[in-house]
């Protein structure tokens, strides 16, 4: 009986089953380790991309706030209210799959469209602020997408690491021990059979 409750047949049939099980476990561990390396590589890349997008987001936001302040000082609060379009920005997320892990892969920003009837910004500072805020929104969306992708890939990497550890530390050593015990039993049985045959042959010759 092995550690998972499945009865191993005695003799050569048991040895064959254990050898096949061990080969399968080793192959599975190798595949999982390759998967783990791929997940970790992509997780690191997503975290670096998230950090870069976060820096761009903060820079563009600071730039936009500065232009906004200048625009308000030049045109007042009314100029700001008139410069805001009725339409709103939209963000679409494209999803992808890596090793079975579905994660955000790209974002598309749909900028607000100003209708012909709406008033355009009354000074260039507000125009610059509008451009900078759009860039900040895009960077914020990219930051969120990369961060979410990193978290999803990292979570799957953690689960994969646990499966590899279970195989390498528990299941594979257990199979090896069981296989060694079966092979030792077979060797002893074959040795005893050889002794009996030699004894029988010697007795027949006499």
């Amino acid at each position: 009986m092995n550690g998972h409750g499945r009865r191993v047949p005695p003799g050569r049939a048991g040895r064959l089953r254990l050898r096949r099980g061990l080969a399968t476990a080793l192959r599975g561990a190798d595949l999982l380790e390759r998967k783990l390396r791929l997940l970790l590589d992509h997780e690191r890349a997503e975290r670096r991309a998230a950090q870069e997008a976060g820096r761009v987001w903060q820079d563009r936001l600071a730039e936009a706030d500065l232009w906004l302040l200048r625009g308000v000082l030049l045109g007042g609060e009314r100029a700001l209210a008139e410069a805001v379009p009725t339409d709103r920005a939209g963000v679409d997320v494209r999803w992808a799959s890596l090793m079975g892990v579905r994660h955000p892969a790209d974002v598309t920003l749909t900028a607000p469209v100003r209708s012909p009837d709406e008033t355009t910004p009354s000074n260039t500072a507000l125009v610059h602020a509008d451009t900078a805020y759009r860039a900040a929104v895009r960077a914020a969306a990219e930051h969120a997408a990369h961060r979410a992708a990193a978290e999803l890939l990292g979570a799957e990497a953690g689960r994969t690491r646990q499966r590899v550890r279970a195989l390498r530390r528990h299941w594979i050593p257990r199979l090896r021990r069981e296989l060694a015990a079966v092979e030792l039993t077979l060797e002893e049985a074959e040795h005893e059979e050889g002794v009996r045959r030699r004894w029988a042959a010697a007795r027949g010759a006499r």
Side-chain angles (χ1 to χ4, degrees):
M1 182 80 67
N2 66 14
H4 280 224
R6 293 180 299 175
R7 184 175 298 279
V8 177
R12 292 180 176 84
R15 178 171 62 186
L16 179 60
R17 176 178 293 186
L18 287 169
R19 284 178 176 175
R20 288 176 177 172
L22 179 59
T24 300
L26 289 169
R27 186 165 57 251
D30 289 341
L31 290 173
L32 286 174
E33 285 173 344
R34 285 198 290 271
K35 174 183 178 179
L36 178 59
R37 287 193 294 270
L38 184 62
L39 289 171
L40 291 175
D41 288 344
H42 279 76
E43 180 196 0
R44 284 191 289 268
E46 292 291 348
R47 292 198 184 280
R48 287 194 297 269
Q51 290 176 353
E52 177 60 26
R55 284 193 292 269
V56 174
W57 174 23
Q58 296 301 321
D59 291 344
R60 295 293 177 270
L61 186 60
E63 178 186 354
D65 288 344
L66 182 59
W67 281 117
L68 179 64
L69 177 59
R70 292 174 180 174
V72 172
L73 291 175
L74 288 172
E77 293 288 341
R78 181 176 179 180
L80 173 60
E82 292 176 348
V84 177
T86 303
D87 193 19
R88 293 291 180 264
V91 177
D92 293 324
V93 180
R94 181 177 65 82
W95 292 75
S97 182
L98 175 69
M99 305 300 290
V101 183
R102 194 166 180 267
H103 64 280
D106 191 20
V107 294
T108 302
L109 176 66
T110 303
V113 178
R114 193 183 304 275
S115 70
D117 298 332
E118 292 183 278
T119 305
T120 57
S122 60
N123 58 67
T124 56
L126 290 177
V127 173
H128 289 308
D130 178 77
T131 301
Y133 276 124
R134 294 185 187 210
V137 171
R138 180 184 301 277
E142 291 175 349
H143 170 75
H146 288 304
R147 184 172 179 179
E151 294 298 327
L152 291 169
L153 293 169
E156 180 62 21
R159 290 188 289 269
T160 303
R161 186 182 290 108
Q162 290 179 348
R163 290 194 287 268
V164 171
R165 186 180 296 117
L167 282 170
R168 294 294 189 192
R169 295 185 180 181
H170 303 290
W171 182 231
I172 290 175
R174 181 179 298 160
L175 284 172
R176 283 176 169 157
R177 289 194 300 269
E178 292 177 357
L179 178 59
V182 169
E183 288 181 336
L184 179 60
T185 300
L186 284 172
E187 288 176 3
E188 291 175 347
E190 290 170 357
H191 176 71
E192 292 174 359
E193 180 63 21
V195 170
R196 284 196 297 270
R197 287 180 179 177
R198 288 193 296 272
W199 179 80
R203 184 176 181 184
R206 289 196 299 269

